[in-house]
Amino acid sequence: MHQFPATSNVELVITLTPFSIFSEGSVATHGSPYDYDTHVPLIFSGPWFVPGRYAEFARTVDLAPTLAAVAGAKSSEKLDGVVLRRALR
């Protein structure tokens, strides 16, 4: 429900039980609100990164700012994510 503006007229929200999906025959799914689907590895490789394993929480939106920092690119607009500085050399 947090994905809808507070002013919208939401009348029904459906949340599936763990390990349930809406379709049949899917090879892969993501986006459920359960831990098994939201905790996935993020792997960076190359000379720009410090080898190691980090237990800190990282969000999908942190990926682009981190890779932009490696490339030396500046965003022309405000980003939701942050640079994962601990992983950078």
Side-chain angles (χ1 to χ4, degrees):
M1 194 135 150
H2 298 287
Q3 67 185 346
F4 300 109
T7 57
S8 65
N9 295 323
V10 176
E11 295 187 22
L12 175 68
V13 174
I14 297 173
T15 302
L16 297 173
T17 57
F19 303 102
S20 297
I21 58 174
F22 277 115
S23 63
E24 294 182 26
S26 295
V27 174
T29 63
H30 6 227
S32 79
Y34 301 104
D35 284 348
Y36 68 85
D37 197 24
T38 58
H39 292 108
V40 296
L42 175 61
I43 301 169
F44 292 117
S45 180
W48 312 275
F49 303 102
V50 178
R53 187 174 191 162
Y54 306 94
E56 292 90 18
F57 182 77
R59 303 168 301 157
T60 305
V61 295
D62 299 333
L63 178 60
T66 302
L67 294 177
V70 167
K74 302 283 185 204
S75 175
S76 60
E77 57 188 58
K78 184 180 181 318
L79 298 175
D80 291 334
V82 297
V83 176
L84 300 172
R85 298 217 179 271
R86 186 163 176 231
L88 297 180
R89 289 196 188 273

